[in-house]
Amino acid sequence: MKSNLIIKRLYKDYSKKFLKKIFLAAFFSILVAASTSAIAWLLDPAIKKIFLEKDRTLIFVIPAFIIITFAAKGISLYFAKSTMIYVGEEIKKLLQFDMISSLIKADTKLIDGKHSGKFISNLTFDVTHITNMLSDAVLALFKDSLTLIGLLIVMFYQNWKLSLIAIVMIPLASTASKILAKRISKVATEAQERSGFLNSYLIELFKNHKLIKIFQKENFEINRSNHHLESLKDKNAKIRTVYVRVSPVMETFTGIMIAILIFYSGSLIIKNEININNFFSFLAAMMLAYQPVRSLATINMAVNQGLTAARRILPIIDNENEIKDKKNAEDILIKNANINFKDVFFKYTEDANEENVLKGVSLEIKGGKMSALVGLSGSGKSTILNLIPRFYNINSGDIKIDNQSINDVKINSLRKKISLVSQDTTLFDDTIKNNIGYANLDANLDEIKEAAKLSSCEEFINELPNKYETIIGENGIRLSGGEKQRISIARAMLKKSPIILLDEATSSLDSETEEKIQNA
């Protein structure tokens, strides 16, 4: 995607929503430029009236005006930056929300094809670069361009020959002080904590992607992701706002120091101890011009980083699923739950050199009873189960449930009729009650307990200190393999779907418990 198209897209979908605040920041940038130029210009009447004409009435007035001008610059700079910080965090939240929403709804194939850590990197580092381009770089362009223009006017007004020399010397000026960055040690602590919460949630999200689809909780997860992002946005905005509060303080103190210097120098000039001329006004303008020049020099780097990041982010946001409803798709109607595979060919990638995992598979699974697929590891048992709820599209052939092709029915209605217990048990870092109840968020505690009883969960749940309110840790780390499997089975039972897919669901259970669950 070309750079100009990316910029137009980012403006249309994100920056445009905050034009009022961007214009407000531009207004404060004008005040910053005007006050900065005024600082340099005020030295001219100060030197003329105080140092040369020795006007005692202005020895207090002009220094006071200089203090006010510096304070106005600092306050305007603070409001300009804090406004764009808010805009930047809002844009960041919108980018992350759009990306997470796209990933939640994405095909399983997309999630399986990329490491979750890379998605997290897109959501953090890449989004941050785009945000910096749309907020910090835009502010710098407004503020520093206007400031530089104002200072150049002052410089040429004082002496055009010296100004031409200064224009050559400005790019060679030494870089500004970096002391401020070294003094902030705790500024990232709270933001890192919030980022940690978000990353933990994202890992849970990617691990349980099939679970979200089979229980049709896309919208639920989108709302939950919005809560996490809102919390992170508020924290980052607060930290960055605190960071720029130093601007009015530093600028005011700088004004006081210069005012004191002028006051002291004025006293000396009145005593005929030193001589001064208009060069001070030019010199001040030239020194003040160094900062905007340095800032403008870095904008190109920020823009390039943002555009590069956008090239990675936008394709994810714009992702179109291969698995989607046909135009005339209808809800599936299940009476007998008979499943038929007819000459099914399938492979996970589009690589022409890769062999099909399934080659012309035809089989009939009768509804109303238990059917078993038996075979060696890697023979395609799990693949067959994953094709029934249409996690993947087959390459050829057809799969029908009660003589209805799964390709012709609505995906949500199909998955609503199916429960899945995968061989890789997937649980959330939440309570036992919420893990079982994930299948049906409207289920009451009695229904959850009934499902737990049928899956033989009660015998270990009742031994826990907090029983159903026990937090089980990441993917049920605090539970044994058999206990995790039983919770997963209880969750599938709670859905009360006509089709239950069990992928080695009792592999971690003892024979007695396995028999109880099979009977249930």
Side-chain angles (χ1 to χ4, degrees):
M1 187 181 294
K2 294 182 179 179
S3 298
N4 62 328
L5 295 178
I6 293 175
I7 293 173
K8 289 180 180 179
R9 168 72 183 282
L10 292 174
Y11 168 75
K12 179 181 176 181
D13 291 352
Y14 300 101
S15 297
K16 189 177 180 180
K17 298 177 181 179
F18 307 100
L19 277 182
K20 290 183 179 179
K21 291 191 177 295
I22 293 174
F23 285 139
L24 181 62
F27 169 74
F28 284 118
S29 297
I30 293 173
L31 295 182
V32 171
S35 57
T36 304
S37 302
I39 291 169
W41 181 83
L42 277 171
L43 290 180
D44 189 354
I47 296 169
K48 180 180 179 181
K49 296 294 182 180
I50 298 173
F51 298 143
L52 299 179
E53 298 181 3
K54 302 178 182 180
D55 190 336
R56 294 179 179 271
T57 60
L58 297 179
I59 197 170
F60 295 102
V61 175
I62 292 180
F65 270 111
I66 290 177
I67 294 175
I68 293 172
T69 306
F70 266 95
K73 176 188 174 184
I75 293 170
S76 299
L77 185 60
Y78 166 75
F79 282 113
K81 286 187 175 181
S82 60
T83 300
M84 290 306 294
I85 284 172
Y86 175 85
V87 171
E89 290 302 325
E90 284 287 354
I91 291 174
K92 183 177 182 180
K93 182 212 162 182
L94 289 175
L95 282 165
Q96 291 177 326
F97 179 76
D98 287 347
M99 183 178 172
I100 292 176
S101 299
S102 179
L103 289 173
I104 290 174
K105 295 178 179 179
D107 291 338
T108 302
K109 182 179 179 180
L110 176 66
I111 302 300
D112 290 345
K114 188 174 181 178
H115 193 280
S116 59
K118 293 183 179 179
F119 286 121
I120 295 175
S121 177
N122 292 142
L123 282 161
T124 53
F125 294 104
D126 287 340
V127 170
T128 298
H129 285 314
I130 297 173
T131 303
N132 290 340
M133 180 181 68
L134 297 180
S135 59
D136 295 349
V138 170
L139 176 61
L141 189 62
F142 282 147
K143 175 177 64 67
D144 294 319
S145 296
L146 293 172
T147 300
L148 183 59
I149 291 171
L151 290 172
L152 286 174
I153 290 172
V154 174
M155 291 165 63
F156 275 92
Y157 175 78
Q158 297 299 339
N159 190 297
W160 66 271
K161 292 182 179 179
L162 288 177
S163 297
L164 292 177
I165 298 174
I167 290 175
V168 177
M169 295 298 295
I170 285 175
L172 303 177
S174 61
T175 58
S177 173
K178 298 180 181 179
I179 299 174
L180 181 62
K182 298 179 181 179
R183 292 184 177 274
I184 299 177
S185 59
K186 298 181 180 180
V187 69
T189 302
E190 292 180 351
Q192 288 174 349
E193 290 176 354
R194 296 296 180 183
S195 295
F197 293 147
L198 178 60
N199 288 341
S200 297
Y201 165 72
L202 290 173
I203 292 172
E204 295 278 358
L205 191 66
F206 296 134
K207 282 184 178 179
N208 296 291
H209 197 260
K210 292 180 183 178
L211 198 65
I212 294 168
K213 288 186 173 299
I214 201 64
F215 293 114
Q216 300 168 284
K217 294 300 179 293
E218 286 93 343
N219 290 334
F220 171 75
E221 292 300 342
I222 288 173
N223 291 333
R224 191 155 66 158
S225 70
N226 186 49
H227 171 75
H228 284 285
L229 293 171
E230 187 74 20
S231 177
L232 181 61
K233 180 207 73 174
D234 291 340
K235 190 59 62 178
N236 283 338
K238 180 181 178 181
I239 291 172
R240 294 184 68 187
T241 302
V242 171
Y243 183 89
V244 299
R245 283 178 184 168
V246 71
S247 296
V249 177
M250 292 300 296
E251 297 293 347
T252 302
F253 274 110
T254 302
I256 293 173
M257 291 178 63
I258 292 179
I260 293 173
L261 177 62
I262 293 175
F263 178 82
Y264 179 70
S265 300
S267 300
L268 296 178
I269 199 69
I270 291 172
K271 298 176 182 178
N272 294 319
E273 295 182 8
I274 60 171
N275 295 317
I276 200 72
N277 55 46
N278 292 338
F279 175 73
F280 273 93
S281 179
F282 168 84
L283 182 62
M286 185 181 66
M287 293 176 65
L288 290 171
Y290 287 165
Q291 188 279 328
V293 168
R294 290 193 300 271
S295 179
L296 290 170
T298 62
I299 286 180
N300 187 52
M301 182 183 299
V303 171
N304 286 335
Q305 288 177 333
L307 292 174
T308 302
R311 289 188 178 95
R312 293 190 289 264
I313 290 288
L314 293 179
I316 297 175
I317 294 175
D318 296 337
N319 173 65
E320 292 188 9
N321 290 340
E322 295 178 5
I323 302 174
K324 53 188 176 182
D325 294 334
K326 291 183 177 179
K327 289 183 179 180
N328 299 321
E330 298 180 354
D331 290 341
I332 192 170
L333 299 175
I334 295 182
K335 295 180 179 178
N336 302 316
N338 294 323
I339 303 173
N340 294 90
F341 278 61
K342 184 178 180 180
D343 199 26
V344 172
F345 284 80
F346 172 76
K347 59 182 178 180
Y348 284 98
T349 69
E350 298 177 357
D351 187 353
N353 297 322
E354 182 182 342
E355 292 188 7
N356 286 299
V357 179
L358 301 181
K359 304 175 183 178
V361 171
S362 297
L363 56 87
E364 182 178 358
I365 302 172
K366 291 291 185 181
K369 68 175 189 178
M370 186 182 296
S371 298
L373 296 176
V374 182
L376 296 174
S377 178
S379 60
K381 302 186 298 296
S382 296
T383 299
I384 288 175
L385 294 189
N386 284 329
L387 293 179
I388 295 173
R390 208 178 163 197
F391 288 145
Y392 306 92
N393 276 334
I394 60 176
N395 298 108
S396 63
D398 199 5
I399 301 173
K400 293 184 177 181
I401 300 178
D402 285 349
N403 293 319
Q404 302 163 89
S405 175
I406 63 172
N407 295 310
D408 297 332
V409 299
K410 292 181 179 179
I411 298 172
N412 280 345
S413 70
L414 171 67
R415 292 171 181 168
K416 188 176 182 180
K417 302 295 183 180
I418 301 173
S419 289
L420 171 67
V421 181
S422 175
Q423 61 182 328
D424 299 321
T425 304
T426 51
L427 300 172
F428 293 103
D429 185 8
D430 206 337
T431 64
I432 291 176
K433 182 186 75 174
N434 289 342
N435 268 284
I436 298 175
Y438 194 82
N440 182 6
L441 299 178
D442 296 325
N444 57 42
L445 184 58
D446 290 336
E447 291 175 308
I448 292 173
K449 287 184 176 180
E450 178 63 22
K453 183 178 180 181
L454 290 173
S455 61
S456 296
C457 288
E458 276 195 334
E459 57 187 68
F460 76 84
I461 292 176
N462 290 330
E463 294 178 0
L464 297 172
N466 297 321
K467 296 182 171 54
Y468 285 87
E469 297 298 330
T470 301
I471 302 291
I472 62 175
E474 182 180 356
N475 203 29
I477 190 67
R478 298 183 180 91
L479 303 177
S480 68
E483 290 170 344
K484 289 192 290 185
Q485 279 194 334
R486 279 181 274 179
I487 289 178
S488 183
I489 293 169
R491 181 171 55 199
M493 288 182 170
L494 183 65
K495 190 176 181 182
K496 298 179 181 179
S497 58
I499 299 173
I500 301 180
L501 307 176
L502 305 171
D503 191 358
E504 299 185 20
T506 58
S507 60
S508 299
L509 303 179
D510 58 82
S511 58
E512 182 180 353
T513 303
E514 183 178 10
E515 183 179 0
K516 289 180 182 179
I517 293 174
Q518 288 177 350
N519 291 335

